[in-house]
Amino acid sequence: MKVIILGGDGFCGWPTALHLSAAGHEVTIVDNLVRRKTDVELEVRSLTPIQPMSTRLAVWKEVSGRTIGFEYFDVAENYHRLLSLIEDLRPDAVVHFAEQRAAPYSMKSSWHKRYTVTNNLGATNGLLAAIVESGLDVHVVHLGTMGVYGYGTAGVKIPEGYLKIKIPTPEGEDIESEILYPPNPGSIYHLTKTQDQLLFAFYNKNDRVRVTDLHQGIVWGTQTPQTELDDRLINRFDYDGDYGTVLNRFIVQAAVGYPLTVHGSGGQTRAFIHIRDTVRCIELAITNGPAPGERVQVFNQMTETHRVADLAELVSSLTGAEISHVENPRNEADSNELIVANDGLLRLGLDPTTLESGLVEEVGAIAKRFSDRVDHTKIPCRSLWRQRPGSPG
Ligand code: NAD
Ligand code: USQ
């Protein structure tokens, strides 16, 4: 298939580009490299020494014999570049990763809130409008988040996107319907993903755009079989307080002797997926698109759930790291249950990679190898959810 990957220089996008290219798909990456510029803003760098895009692509050609195209532009702003690219390439699918993805970054200041909303909604709306204007039947595969549902399910299994409901009529009958699961975002970033859902629903209803929305859990790990082929293909690895996600952060913290930063009690339960499964799920999604006229297809792209405190215990038991319960900078429930349906991708053939000590140790080996690149001052989370004096909580 011919595939455009928006955001193909990022943590999920780069290994996905390699995986799809290795599987014989014709891949073109679009990226404005804003994630690399954000590292400059935050004065941090990926734990792993990622190479510039031209090196990445040349090395991939060298080791695989395959070419990946690259276009450097802003998807949210350069609408006509995007439209011409779609018209020229006539892709079967566009995989859309090109959004600001860190909840703490989105809550740092009013500028970060406005940037996250403008960038994420601008990119999604621009893509959908360009597909409609091109007149082509292009399948959009979007990376959404489990966070659109909120995390407090009170014993209910979170369905894949849609909730069956009954609406009582004045005549005393019940009308059965299905609606998007009620959105309950916990950050400005997560809010943009709930709004993306409405954009998809509208363009799907009005213009019959075919969309798959993948509500992904927290991705952990760093390498895939393709990024391991050569050191210069290595994937990025964020450990800082804004972009680092919890399990990868704990593994790096253990590697450098920094007490594991559990927010509050650590009773928060979240959904997880290994990066190797992310790339497989994307391939399953692009090769199993919805039929013309079908509603937006939603899959919960996660393989397991864990409590943050249990992850800290696991990493500590493997490494001897200390655990520190720090004050939670976020405005979130201290503990929650999380039960999630993920039948869709399993039915399509996903064979989940689950958390086990071997994999944690593998990531730990990368963390140890590059531990001299860790800036300890960048580990604490300094983005506070409650910035107004007297705000609740
Ligand atoms: P990332 O920040 O590493 O990658 C995003 C890429 O998109 C970057 O290379 C960035 O430069 C690019 N980009 C952003 N805005 C752009 C724009 N306007 N124009 C062109 N390029 C732009 O993030 P990631 O971890 O790879 O996440 C990718 C997607 O997956 C995001 O949408 C995120 O919400 C979703 N997701 C990620 C995780 C996770 O744990 N990393 C979990 C669930 C969902
Ligand atoms: N946490 C800690 N200690 C830390 C870092 C985080 O206890 O050092 C806690 C947080 O308070 C939160 C949980 O761990 O309760 C998860 O935080 P995270 O930073 O790992 O993940 P999150 O902010 O939810 O965001 C990440 C990705 C985002 C994606 C989301 C999927 O950055 O792009 O959408 O995971 S999900 O969590 O399922 O919504």
Side-chain angles (χ1 to χ4, degrees):
M1 292 177 100
K2 212 181 272 183
V3 187
I4 297 178
I5 301 187
L6 308 179
D9 186 46
F11 169 61
C12 298
W14 174 241
T16 300
L18 298 188
H19 177 80
L20 295 182
S21 175
H25 301 285
E26 201 178 306
V27 175
T28 301
I29 288 173
V30 176
D31 206 298
N32 65 348
L33 307 183
V34 65
R35 183 66 196 83
R36 293 177 186 247
K37 294 168 200 162
T38 306
D39 277 347
V40 176
E41 173 199 339
L42 298 174
E43 300 184 357
V44 294
R45 57 184 182 173
S46 163
L47 172 76
T48 46
I50 54 172
Q51 296 302 309
M53 185 49 102
S54 59
T55 309
R56 282 182 152 187
L57 298 179
V59 174
W60 179 243
K61 172 98 182 140
E62 196 181 303
V63 303
S64 72
R66 302 195 62 87
T67 301
I68 294 178
F70 175 55
E71 301 282 332
Y72 170 60
F73 67 86
D74 186 322
V75 177
E77 291 194 347
N78 303 125
Y79 175 75
H80 286 97
R81 290 276 308 267
L82 181 62
L83 175 60
S84 324
L85 186 70
I86 291 171
E87 286 173 342
D88 291 350
L89 290 181
R90 305 176 70 84
D92 300 289
V94 176
V95 185
H96 175 23
F97 293 105
E99 297 185 80
Q100 192 300 100
R101 71 103 176 129
Y105 184 84
S106 77
M107 299 297 288
K108 280 176 95 68
S109 74
S110 56
W111 185 87
H112 295 88
K113 291 174 186 172
R114 289 182 297 114
Y115 165 70
T116 301
V117 170
T118 310
N119 185 63
N120 294 4
L121 297 184
T124 302
N125 190 37
L127 170 62
L128 293 164
I131 288 174
V132 173
E133 190 170 347
S134 73
L136 298 167
D137 175 24
V138 182
H139 174 204
V140 175
V141 174
H142 172 251
L143 273 291
T145 174
M146 285 299 302
V148 297
Y149 304 117
Y151 311 102
T153 54
V156 174
K157 190 178 205 180
I158 294 183
E160 303 208 78
Y162 299 96
L163 182 67
K164 287 188 175 29
I165 57 160
K166 285 183 181 170
I167 313 166
T169 64
E171 291 73 38
E173 284 166 25
D174 281 341
I175 294 178
E176 294 196 354
S177 185
E178 271 196 312
I179 57 168
L180 274 176
Y181 193 91
N184 185 13
S187 72
I188 290 287
Y189 154 70
H190 287 101
L191 172 74
T192 64
K193 295 284 178 173
T194 68
Q195 299 197 336
D196 281 343
Q197 289 187 282
L198 285 182
L199 288 167
F200 295 133
F202 178 76
Y203 280 92
N204 171 264
K205 178 184 74 168
N206 198 62
D207 305 286
R208 294 166 64 89
V209 178
R210 292 186 302 121
V211 181
T212 299
D213 204 359
L214 299 169
H215 289 168
Q216 187 169 237
I218 300 170
V219 183
W220 71 285
T222 184
Q223 295 281 62
T224 62
Q226 288 77 36
T227 63
E228 273 168 348
L229 288 174
D230 188 296
D231 260 358
R232 293 164 297 169
L233 297 174
I234 202 162
N235 197 16
R236 72 174 300 127
F237 189 135
D238 300 311
Y239 69 88
D240 62 281
D242 287 314
Y243 275 89
T245 52
V246 64
L247 180 52
N248 277 4
R249 272 168 63 74
F250 286 172
I251 295 171
V252 169
Q253 291 166 359
V256 299
Y258 193 103
L260 311 184
T261 54
V262 174
H263 291 167
S265 71
Q268 306 93 320
T269 307
R270 294 292 182 270
F272 290 83
I273 182 166
H274 194 279
I275 186 74
R276 290 182 198 166
D277 284 349
T278 291
V279 304
R280 294 182 187 135
C281 288
I282 306 290
E283 189 179 13
L284 290 172
I286 64 169
T287 50
N288 291 280
E294 202 178 306
R295 74 176 179 187
V296 174
Q297 169 170 267
V298 181
F299 294 130
N300 293 335
Q301 186 164 307
M302 50 73 68
T303 53
E304 54 195 327
T305 60
H306 295 284
R307 285 168 75 237
V308 165
D310 295 338
L311 293 177
E313 285 296 340
L314 172 75
V315 173
S316 170
S317 70
L318 292 172
T319 61
E322 257 180 68
I323 297 177
S324 161
H325 287 265
V326 300
E327 194 182 337
N328 195 342
R330 305 187 185 200
N331 187 358
E332 64 183 2
D334 201 38
S335 78
N336 65 283
E337 301 270 303
L338 189 59
I339 312 166
V340 183
N342 65 345
D343 316 332
L345 287 161
L346 295 177
R347 215 171 26 241
L348 294 178
L350 175 68
D351 179 15
T353 307
T354 47
L355 185 77
E356 36 103 350
S357 50
L359 274 176
V360 176
E361 279 157 7
E362 186 183 306
V363 185
I366 290 185
K368 275 223 151 38
R369 179 173 165 208
F370 296 111
S371 57
D372 61 333
R373 290 171 57 88
V374 174
D375 177 346
H376 291 222
T377 68
K378 298 298 178 185
I379 291 179
C381 292
R382 300 189 199 280
S383 173
L384 305 180
W385 260 235
R386 301 181 194 91
Q387 295 185 10
R388 283 164 75 94
S391 62

